């Protein structure tokens, strides 16, 4: 099976309408503390993501994930501690393209940026234990399940636990090498 080419580009204000096609869906934000979002909430989120590219020092790198010119998701790298070289990745994919490897490719591109350009030592990610698809993506990326943190997010159906995954720079270079 030929994989579709996913690219990441800086998110721009005009991407808000594409972002809203999933941000407004209950299915897409089921395991998140936000959403479903109103159009105004999506515009505000995208405006904040666009502004993050102007921060100095920049610690947040939000990207639109595209198949061709179509925005089908987002990915973000956050530098949590520059002195300790620690970061976090997150991603979301439109439900209509779930199961096509797009989340895995977003994660791979984010980790390449984290360990390449940003020279981080450790990158982590979290997911709701019920989100089996996201846990599979993180495992496919070579991330190690470190454990479960209890009641980390209050979401619509109550307190949510978080699974914590991480990968270290030497582990990543081994996977990529």
């Amino acid at each position: 099976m030929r994989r579709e080419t996913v690219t990441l580009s800086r998110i721009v204000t005009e991407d808000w309408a594409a972002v809203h096609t999933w941000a407004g869906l209950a299915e897409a934000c089921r395991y998140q503390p936000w959403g479903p979002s109103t159009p105004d909430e999506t515009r505000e989120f995208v405006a904040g993501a666009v502004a993050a590219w102007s921060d100095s020092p920049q610690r947040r790198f939000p990207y639109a994930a595209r198949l061709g010119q179509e925005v089908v998701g987002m990915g973000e790298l956050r530098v949590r501690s520059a002195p300790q070289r620690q970061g976090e990745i997150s991603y979301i994919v439109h439900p209509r393209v779930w199961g096509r490897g797009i989340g895995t490719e977003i994660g791979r591109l984010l980790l390449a940026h984290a360990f390449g350009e940003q020279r981080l030592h450790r990158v982590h990610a979290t997911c709701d234990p019920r989100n089996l698809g996201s846990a599979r993506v993180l495992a496919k990326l070579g991330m190690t399940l470190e454990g479960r943190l209890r009641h980390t997010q209050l979401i619509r159906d109550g307190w949510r636990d978080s699974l914590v995954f991480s990968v270290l720079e030497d582990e990543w270079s081994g996977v990529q090498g």
Side-chain angles (χ1 to χ4, degrees), residues 43-64:
R43 278 189 204 94
E44 184 178 327
F45 168 78
V46 170
V50 169
W53 284 97
S54 300
D55 290 346
S56 183
Q58 187 176 355
R59 297 286 181 244
R60 183 177 173 211
F61 300 84
Y63 296 96

Side-chain angles (χ1 to χ4, degrees), residues 8-19:
L8 297 183
S9 60
R10 286 185 183 194
I11 192 162
V12 295
T13 304
E14 295 76 25
D15 290 331
W16 86 267
V19 171

Side-chain angles (χ1 to χ4, degrees), residues 57 59 79-87 118-121:
R59 297 286 181 244
V79 177
R80 294 296 186 185
S81 171
Q84 295 299 314
R85 298 173 48 212
Q86 307 283 313
Q118 294 303 311
R119 301 182 45 83
L120 297 181
H121 173 70

